[in-house]
Amino acid sequence: METTDVGDASTASPSGGRAPICIVSFQLPAVYDAAEGWQRNSSSLVNDVATSLRGTRAHWYGFATHREPPPPSGDLSLHTIVVHRTEIAEAIEGFADRTLWPALHGLRDNIEVRDSWWSAYEQLSDRVARMLANQLPVGTSVWMHGRHFLGVPRLLRELRPDLQIGVFCHTAVDGDTMATLSSAVELARRVAAADVIGVQTDADAVSVQRMLAASGLAHDDLPEIHVEPVGIDTEAWLRQLDDPVVAALSSKLRLPGGVLAVGVDHLHYSAGVIHKLLAIETLLESGALGADDLRLVQIALPTSLAGPTHRFLQSQLEEIATRINGAHRRSDGLDVIDIVSSPPSPRELAALYRAADVALVTPVRDGFNRVAVEYSLANHDRPCVLILSDGTGTSHHLGWHCVTVDASDVLAIAAALRRVIADPDSPDRGSAERRAAVARSLDSTTWVTRCLDRLAGAAGVA
């Protein structure tokens, strides 16, 4: 197996007195295109972390499928971990995506298990650990992100006891479902070698504690668990509200009558997009709403969890939208359901948020939902409603100022939407300012700073 590394990790020095920093994630903050060269990654989370690290010398390791030429020099030294076809199919698309992802989200019916997937995941984890151990400066704070690297800490700790090792779980964590995996105990032993494990909510922290208890390690040898929601780049979002282009687009999108709803989801089985459309169809078919009462603009983004399930959901989504639009015609000629499959620009997304009277954020389970925070910030100064799934980590922070629903219950979503539309003077609309105040505290720079400070203060020995 081959690894390709860009830059020389041994030459780095700490910035501002902080120990050397290493970020390890599925993606790099820049991607290489043969025609265009190195371009900024479109991932919002990766960009938020990179922005928060601006001015700080750091190493960033991420997966790639082939060798890349060196990127321009800067504060971030990029290193590629080349993964081969078999590793992608078994360790990443197999164990990480089709076993770990649904298990972490508590979606038992979607879990797929193969022994070869777990074996490949172990081998890839150990290869990443050896690579980091061979290249990182003494005393580096290593901050690993996501399910792809839960197996790395134990060997890395054995090879480099001088390192501070942190892992952040971006997804929800369902301890009961994770315990059903045959690999659960070994995975717990591997991740238990970290100094610090970060999670989105208190409930996730409890689940991680239960998982680690299965490792058989003494309580004093277990990592510290801290709750720190990832947040978004709040200042960047607030700046967009003063953009005249955003204001013009927003005015163009607003409806003269009825309610404009917006949904933004990656199209996978935990997103609950189908439930959302079925709820609207239920209201229309029952006569509780007319076609002119509601229009939904649903952005259905591609997901890294590709494959047959994604294609099935895309087909099902289009089928339901066509059925609704065919049976229920608006007087203005617009579709009741508008499915948008191409990612909008930041300006277009901000304008859509500003135009919408209601946001439908209804994933069945989610770690942290940035759409809820973005919508709240974009509408801090106007009455609007956020219908939010109680299965999202964000509901633990914004839920008091939202209409919360069980996103697995189509009738519950329908009832919430009917209530909001039927009562335009509902007290729910007066909570926008309070919701935005909470959203401002969910800031990605604060998250990065707190996590790195906690990691820098770790003992270095698990």
Side-chain angles (χ1 to χ4, degrees):
M1 295 182 216
E2 186 178 29
T3 61
T4 301
D5 311 300
V6 182
D8 181 4
S10 65
T11 62
S13 60
S15 176
R18 188 194 291 275
I21 296 169
C22 171
I23 307 295
V24 185
S25 69
F26 182 73
Q27 297 178 321
L28 290 168
V31 293
Y32 183 77
D33 179 88
E36 303 293 334
W38 284 93
Q39 302 292 316
R40 186 176 182 179
N41 194 326
S42 61
S43 166
S44 298
L45 177 62
V46 169
N47 278 325
D48 286 351
V49 175
T51 299
S52 300
L53 289 172
R54 190 171 293 155
T56 301
R57 293 290 297 167
H59 307 287
W60 195 311
Y61 287 75
F63 290 136
T65 57
H66 52 277
R67 292 180 179 274
E68 311 287 12
S73 59
D75 293 331
L76 292 179
S77 177
L78 305 187
H79 309 257
T80 56
I81 306 169
V82 173
V83 284
H84 299 270
R85 186 176 302 172
T86 301
E87 291 177 310
I88 294 171
E90 297 198 336
I92 297 173
E93 294 178 354
F95 187 77
D97 289 353
R98 294 161 71 178
T99 303
L100 264 185
W101 173 272
L104 286 164
H105 287 80
L107 303 172
R108 299 191 185 201
D109 292 343
N110 298 102
I111 296 173
E112 300 177 57
V113 178
R114 293 184 191 175
D115 291 343
S116 63
W117 291 354
W118 167 243
S119 178
Y121 183 85
E122 285 187 297
Q123 292 173 23
L124 179 58
S125 297
D126 289 347
R127 182 160 73 84
V128 171
R130 291 189 181 94
M131 178 180 181
L132 296 174
N134 289 335
Q135 297 186 11
L136 294 180
V138 173
T140 296
S141 292
V142 185
W143 193 23
M144 292 180 278
H145 293 262
R147 65 192 181 279
H148 302 92
F149 303 100
L150 298 181
V152 173
R154 186 173 67 184
L155 182 57
L156 184 58
R157 166 70 63 226
E158 292 171 358
L159 296 173
R160 291 290 303 275
D162 62 289
L163 302 177
Q164 288 80 48
I165 303 173
V167 175
F168 196 91
C169 296
H170 290 267
T171 64
V173 183
D174 188 296
D176 290 339
T177 306
M178 285 293 294
T180 66
L181 301 180
S182 59
S183 54
V185 173
E186 177 59 23
L187 187 62
R189 288 172 180 163
R190 283 174 166 266
V191 75
D195 294 296
V196 178
I197 297 178
V199 293
Q200 307 277 8
T201 69
D202 291 335
D204 294 332
V206 171
S207 287
V208 171
Q209 287 171 340
R210 293 173 63 185
M211 287 172 53
L212 295 179
S215 68
L217 294 174
H219 182 270
D220 291 344
D221 293 328
L222 296 178
E224 174 191 353
I225 301 170
H226 71 105
V227 178
E228 194 67 55
V230 297
I232 69 168
D233 187 345
T234 57
E235 290 303 317
W237 266 100
L238 291 171
R239 282 196 300 271
Q240 290 190 98
L241 304 184
D242 298 324
D243 188 333
V245 175
V246 170
L249 286 173
S250 178
S251 296
K252 187 176 180 180
L253 289 169
R254 286 199 179 99
L255 294 178
V259 167
L260 175 63
V262 60
V264 183
D265 301 273
H266 285 90
L267 195 56
H268 51 68
Y269 49 77
S270 67
V273 183
I274 301 301
H275 293 78
K276 192 185 308 185
L277 265 62
L278 291 176
I280 292 173
E281 186 175 38
T282 297
L283 292 172
L284 293 169
E285 290 294 319
S286 68
L289 289 182
D292 284 346
D293 292 328
L294 173 69
R295 169 172 159 80
L296 170 68
V297 177
Q298 174 63 53
I299 299 173
L301 300 171
T303 173
S304 60
L305 303 173
T309 301
H310 173 80
R311 291 190 292 273
F312 171 75
L313 287 173
Q314 180 72 48
S315 173
Q316 194 176 24
L317 186 67
E318 292 171 355
E319 178 185 330
I320 297 172
T322 299
R323 188 171 70 220
I324 292 172
N325 291 332
H328 304 277
R329 304 287 184 139
R330 291 176 54 87
S331 60
D332 58 10
L334 296 172
D335 287 334
V336 174
I337 307 294
D338 183 9
I339 304 297
V340 179
S341 299
S342 56
S345 69
R347 276 176 164 172
E348 290 170 334
L349 186 57
L352 182 57
Y353 286 153
R354 287 289 287 173
D357 306 291
V358 177
L360 281 167
V361 181
T362 55
V364 176
R365 193 76 186 272
D366 203 356
F368 180 87
N369 190 286
R370 63 185 298 121
V371 173
V373 181
E374 291 170 351
Y375 182 78
S376 299
L377 287 172
N379 292 290
H380 67 97
D381 59 346
R382 58 183 290 263
C384 58
V385 178
L386 173 57
I387 297 178
L388 181 62
S389 165
D390 59 12
T392 67
T394 314
S395 70
H396 292 253
H397 310 285
L398 297 178
W400 289 104
H401 311 295
C402 303
V403 178
T404 56
V405 295
D406 176 356
S408 64
D409 186 341
V410 170
L411 294 181
I413 299 172
L417 190 55
R418 182 176 184 273
R419 175 163 65 93
V420 167
I421 294 173
D423 185 6
D425 297 319
S426 165
D428 297 323
R429 293 179 180 270
S431 61
E433 185 175 346
R434 295 189 296 274
R435 186 170 63 240
V438 176
R440 280 192 190 92
S441 70
L442 299 172
D443 178 67
S444 57
T445 298
T446 301
W447 167 65
V448 170
T449 301
R450 288 179 177 171
C451 288
L452 289 177
D453 283 348
R454 191 176 293 266
L455 182 55
V461 178

